[in-house]
Amino acid sequence: MRPWWMRIVAGLLLLAFVGLMWMTNAWLTERFSETTKVRAELRLALYTGNILSELQRTAVVPLLLARDPGLMGALNGSDFSTTSARLMAAQKEIGAASIRLIDASGWTVAATERRLIGTNYVREPFFVEAMRGRDTVFTVNTNEIGANEFVYSRAVVQNGRALGVIVVEAELQRLERSWAGISDAVVVLDSSGKIILTTEPRWRGHTLQEALALRTAPTAIQRAFQVTTDLTARQPDAWIQGRAVMQSEARVPFRGWRMVSFTTYESVREKVNAALAMEIMGFAILLALSFYILSRRARVQSVAFKRESDELRALNRRLSREIAERERMQKELRVAEQTVEQSSKLAALGEMSASVSHELNQPLAAMKTYLAGARLLLQRDRYEEALSSFQRVDDLIERMGAITRQLKSYARKGGEAFEPVDLRAALSGALTMMEPQLKSRTVRIIRMVPREPVMVMADRIRLEQVIINLLRNAFDATKDQKDPEIELTVRAGSHAMLTVRDNGPGLTDMEKLFEPFWTTKKPGEGTGLGLAISSGIVSDFGGRLTAHNTEGKGAVFEMQLPLYAPVLTDQQPDGRPRADLAAE
């Protein structure tokens, strides 16, 4: 009778435990759900405050920039060489996403994002509405990648005439990215009910009902598992990706916007499950005591332990085989890596041979010119001038040796040859190197350099090679022009910048411009390696080489390098203003 009585007691204890678990789960779920909802509402209040603060802070920027005399002068004089830098400085101070200056015809003439320069916005609402009125206009438009831009625009007016439009984008995407770091799904809807900000990119542009319909409907098994897990949990407000969520909503006091968040019950379940685990633990202890009394299960447990031991031994044998197989694959991988490394070395040797052929053509051509001049000077008994030509030939031979030594280092990575170099001095050296070619025909050279040194960390010879390549391209591009002109500009701002501008026909195929062996010159006049090698050298220096066509006629190559030393102040030690550029 005793085992039968103990079974009844165990059954009653089990029923009591199930009832206790049910009531505990219902009460704790309700309590923690209310706490989670309050926290979600507080979080929404914080988010709406952040949005409103960002919009209010950005709203005053167009009003200030529209009255900037520098921007008015740039629009009047069509000189935008420093306008983008001015906008970048303003962006850094106010923390806006981007700033654009658009002229009266709708063309972007300056921007903090240089890729936008030259874009036409004549049909965009933020341009049209700003030109029609004289107040700051707020619009939401979609950019080329499908994201929303929240922009304030205002016309730049002088003497009652609209010169252009200043456009400032609010940094709301930063807030959107910060929301993605939490477990909630957050959306912001405009007055028409369309989603304009969201942590779920595929919801953007839909209504809330359409966005929720994009989910994959949960299967019957998933719903049954969810119900079993939640036990007596409250009815969910919505389903997102098969998970039950609670919905919270707050009003954004701006143009009828609303913010909605969807919070999962996972945090609630974690807290409830922690309390239930304590109850389960207590019941398990009681159950263990019962099992201790009911020693009949000892034999079953012994059999289970023996079976698990057999499985562990089998698993150990499988792991030993997998370890041996992994070691064999690692050996094969090392052999493959050595093969790839040898192939890379052979490819590098091929590039070096092409580079040597290209880079030595310049000093060889200069030597030929100097030797011809020295021969004429010797025939005219002008020995001192001939010796000067021979000295230049000797310098070129030394330069050729330095070039070959430098090309030997292309096969390995290293920066031991880098040193502080004055970009102005490198430009002067390149012009000296190009002197014979420049004297072969009349070309107007305009050189604008600052009076202070512009120091960069680079290899002097390789830097001059890049400048010579750019000069030769500009020289060749202007050979068919009536009044050939090459403009060389050195600037120092956040980076050192060298600009080579010509008035030639311009660039045709921008995508293939920096590809090896691609050239528009006739056979025998070029190898197509100059720009490819130059781009690689500038990248080794930590900079970049870009090119584009001017609005008028000609091409512009820009070499941007990191500064070695901080930019000098705008005043001399005696307090007088310092001139930025000296035109030559």
Side-chain angles (χ1 to χ4, degrees):
M1 295 294 295
R2 187 174 180 180
W4 177 77
W5 176 79
M6 293 185 64
R7 289 191 183 95
I8 293 177
V9 172
L12 293 176
L13 288 176
L14 182 60
L15 290 176
F17 174 74
V18 171
L20 180 62
M21 289 279 292
W22 184 275
M23 291 187 297
T24 302
N25 178 77
W27 181 71
L28 291 179
T29 299
E30 184 68 22
R31 178 181 177 186
F32 290 139
S33 296
E34 288 296 331
T35 303
T36 303
K37 189 171 185 65
V38 170
R39 289 181 179 176
E41 291 173 353
L42 291 176
R43 195 158 42 237
L44 282 183
L46 176 62
Y47 290 167
T48 56
N50 291 339
I51 292 176
L52 191 60
S53 176
E54 182 66 24
L55 291 173
Q56 291 176 346
R57 183 172 60 87
T58 309
V60 300
V61 177
L63 177 61
L64 299 177
L65 293 180
R67 300 176 179 178
D68 190 340
L71 299 182
M72 293 182 180
L75 290 172
N76 279 323
S78 298
D79 182 11
F80 309 101
S81 58
T82 61
T83 308
S84 293
R86 181 188 293 269
L87 296 182
M88 290 179 185
Q91 178 195 25
K92 186 180 296 183
E93 292 179 0
I94 65 178
S98 66
I99 304 177
R100 284 163 279 180
L101 181 62
I102 305 174
D103 62 13
S105 58
W107 292 100
T108 304
V109 296
T112 55
E113 297 181 24
R114 293 189 177 275
R115 62 183 181 81
L116 299 178
I117 297 178
T119 307
N120 192 282
Y121 296 106
V122 71
R123 297 183 181 276
E124 294 297 330
F126 60 81
F127 175 81
V128 176
E129 295 178 13
M131 290 294 289
R132 289 177 178 175
R134 293 297 182 265
D135 295 329
T136 303
V137 179
F138 176 83
T139 55
V140 180
N141 61 297
T142 304
N143 59 17
E144 62 273 12
I145 63 174
N148 288 329
E149 293 182 345
F150 305 88
V151 297
Y152 284 96
S153 57
R154 188 181 181 92
V156 180
V157 180
Q158 186 179 34
N159 297 329
R161 184 172 63 94
L163 304 178
V165 174
I166 187 74
V167 180
V168 181
E169 180 183 356
E171 185 65 85
L172 295 188
Q173 286 77 11
R174 175 177 55 83
L175 301 179
E176 188 180 52
R177 291 190 296 270
S178 67
W179 300 339
I182 62 175
S183 59
D184 295 2
V186 181
V187 298
V188 176
L189 302 95
D190 60 12
S191 58
S192 64
K194 295 291 184 179
I195 296 176
I196 55 178
L197 287 173
T198 175
T199 56
E200 298 289 335
R202 61 176 182 168
W203 289 2
R204 188 176 292 111
H206 297 281
T207 63
L208 193 57
Q209 291 74 17
E210 293 172 348
L212 294 177
L214 293 176
R215 65 173 175 84
T216 302
T219 63
I221 296 177
Q222 290 174 328
R223 286 186 179 274
F225 178 80
Q226 186 72 31
V227 171
T228 304
T229 303
D230 289 344
L231 296 177
T232 59
R234 62 168 64 184
Q235 182 68 22
D237 297 329
W239 291 83
I240 298 179
Q241 297 181 352
R243 295 189 301 175
V245 295
M246 64 177 69
Q247 179 177 337
S248 302
E249 183 173 337
R251 186 180 66 87
V252 181
F254 181 81
R255 294 178 176 263
W257 287 8
R258 292 182 296 129
M259 176 174 282
V260 180
S261 70
F262 300 94
T263 307
T264 64
Y265 287 89
E266 293 178 356
S267 60
V268 175
R269 292 311 315 164
E270 289 175 357
K271 296 176 182 178
V272 174
N273 290 341
L276 296 179
M278 296 298 295
E279 295 183 0
I280 294 173
M281 186 179 297
F283 182 78
I285 295 174
L286 181 61
L287 207 60
L289 292 175
S290 301
F291 289 159
Y292 178 77
I293 297 173
L294 301 174
S295 58
R296 295 179 181 180
R297 301 196 58 181
R299 183 183 303 175
V300 178
Q301 291 176 354
S302 177
V303 174
F305 290 154
K306 185 178 181 302
R307 184 171 59 252
E308 290 177 359
S309 178
D310 294 338
E311 292 176 353
L312 287 175
R313 282 194 294 269
L315 178 61
N316 188 28
R317 289 192 295 269
R318 289 198 301 271
L319 289 176
S320 299
R321 290 194 298 268
E322 290 179 2
I323 291 173
E325 181 68 18
R326 185 179 296 271
E327 290 177 350
R328 184 184 63 81
M329 293 179 64
Q330 287 179 349
K331 292 180 182 179
E332 294 178 355
L333 180 61
R334 283 194 293 269
V335 174
E337 289 176 348
Q338 292 174 358
T339 304
V340 172
E341 181 179 357
Q342 185 65 22
S343 300
S344 300
K345 290 181 180 179
L346 293 176
L349 289 176
E351 293 181 1
M352 286 171 56
S353 62
S355 300
V356 169
S357 174
H358 176 78
E359 296 298 337
L360 292 184
N361 280 337
Q362 299 170 355
L364 285 175
M367 288 171 58
K368 183 177 180 181
T369 303
Y370 287 137
L371 288 175
R375 184 183 297 111
L376 293 176
L377 292 173
L378 288 175
Q379 292 174 358
R380 298 176 183 178
D381 298 332
R382 296 164 64 179
Y383 300 107
E384 294 183 358
E385 298 181 15
L387 288 175
S388 176
S389 297
F390 287 132
Q391 180 62 40
R392 292 187 178 181
V393 172
D394 184 66
D395 293 341
L396 290 173
I397 294 174
E398 178 64 26
R399 181 178 295 275
M400 291 170 65
I403 289 174
T404 56
R405 288 193 300 272
Q406 200 60 250
L407 290 173
K408 290 177 182 179
S409 66
Y410 283 177
R412 64 181 184 272
K413 276 287 184 182
E416 65 275 0
F418 288 8
E419 60 181 359
V421 178
D422 189 353
L423 188 56
R424 306 176 307 164
L427 177 60
S428 299
L431 288 172
T432 303
M433 188 73 175
M434 287 289 296
E435 183 178 355
Q437 288 88 340
L438 296 176
K439 287 184 177 180
S440 63
R441 59 186 178 88
T442 302
V443 179
R444 183 186 181 191
I445 304 297
I446 302 174
R447 182 169 54 168
M448 294 187 292
V449 298
R451 295 177 180 175
E452 297 81 8
V454 181
M455 305 302 295
V456 296
M457 198 68 176
D459 186 321
R460 171 69 177 268
I461 293 177
R462 297 175 71 190
L463 181 59
E464 289 184 2
Q465 290 173 4
V466 174
I467 300 176
I468 288 173
N469 282 332
L470 298 180
L471 287 173
R472 290 192 62 182
N473 287 341
F475 185 78
D476 295 340
T478 58
K479 63 181 179 181
D480 296 329
Q481 302 301 315
K482 182 179 180 181
D483 297 318
E485 179 180 291
I486 301 176
E487 179 181 318
L488 307 172
T489 306
V490 176
R491 299 193 303 272
S494 59
H495 290 73
M497 180 77 74
L498 171 64
T499 303
V500 179
R501 186 192 307 269
D502 62 68
N503 62 343
L507 305 172
T508 56
D509 198 337
M510 302 293 292
E511 295 181 357
K512 298 182 180 179
L513 190 60
F514 295 101
E515 292 184 3
F517 303 107
W518 184 86
T519 179
T520 58
K521 298 178 182 179
K522 298 178 180 179
E525 295 183 359
T527 63
L529 289 171
L531 290 178
I533 295 174
S534 299
S535 179
I537 292 175
V538 175
S539 297
D540 290 342
F541 295 160
R544 62 175 182 174
L545 181 63
T546 59
H548 62 273
N549 290 320
T550 60
E551 294 183 1
K553 186 178 183 182
V556 179
F557 285 86
E558 293 184 347
M559 179 177 63
Q560 181 176 339
L561 296 172
L563 284 172
Y564 171 70
V567 181
L568 297 177
T569 59
D570 294 333
Q571 292 186 346
Q572 296 180 352
D574 58 2
R576 293 180 301 167
R578 191 190 301 273
D580 289 337
L581 295 176
E584 298 186 5

